[in-house]
Amino acid sequence: HVQLVESGGGSVQAGGSLRLSCAAPAYIYSSNCMGWFRQAPGKEREWVSAQRSDGSTRYVGSVKGRFTSSKDTAKNLFYLQMDSLKPEDTGMYYCAAGPVNEYGGCPADKAHYNYWAQGTQVTVS
């Protein structure tokens, strides 16, 4: 049973910052795509970012320049630093892992990711 363990999140005022952490087993962390998703109340879960094992990262347009994905290889930790937060960033945030696709990329499609963390709430007021 593979488990991703997520921490961080909380409540902040608009313009503030939060950092989410995601711990994954080493074999998952090193060979897969690590993604972040979020789900606002009453909305579909949406893709936020994805980082390939070589460090290349993509972001959804609404968070570009504000969110930064990074990793600590020694600790098998994966981070999402969120700055300049806006009320529309409010939601449950999930980290996820999945294989690269046939093109070697990390897709935005949540169906592609087969390991998920429990989620953590981010509230921006």
Side-chain angles (χ1 to χ4, degrees):
H1 178 64
V2 175
Q3 190 172 23
L4 304 183
V5 181
E6 192 174 344
S7 60
S11 297
V12 294
Q13 291 187 335
S17 298
L18 285 171
R19 189 177 79 162
L20 307 182
S21 301
C22 179
Y27 73 94
I28 292 293
Y29 181 91
S30 62
S31 64
N32 285 265
C33 300
M34 299 298 295
W36 290 97
F37 293 79
R38 65 186 180 188
Q39 187 166 16
K43 294 189 176 181
E44 291 284 323
R45 190 171 299 187
E46 67 167 348
W47 172 75
V48 174
S49 73
Q51 186 172 71
R52 204 168 55 186
S53 57
D54 65 357
S56 64
T57 309
R58 298 190 300 127
Y59 301 93
V60 68
S62 60
V63 308
K64 278 184 181 178
R66 301 189 298 119
F67 289 15
T68 304
S69 176
S70 63
K71 61 182 180 178
D72 184 333
T73 304
K75 298 180 180 179
N76 292 342
L77 285 172
F78 180 55
Y79 302 106
L80 184 68
Q81 177 67 41
M82 304 183 293
D83 299 319
S84 302
L85 283 161
K86 303 176 181 180
E88 51 264 43
D89 295 317
T90 293
M92 189 70 77
Y93 281 68
Y94 301 88
C95 65
V100 294
N101 62 15
E102 62 268 36
Y103 306 108
C106 293
D109 183 0
K110 58 182 179 292
H112 184 81
Y113 293 79
N114 44 13
Y115 304 114
W116 290 84
Q118 77 280 13
T120 188
Q121 179 68 35
V122 171
T123 303
V124 185
S125 59

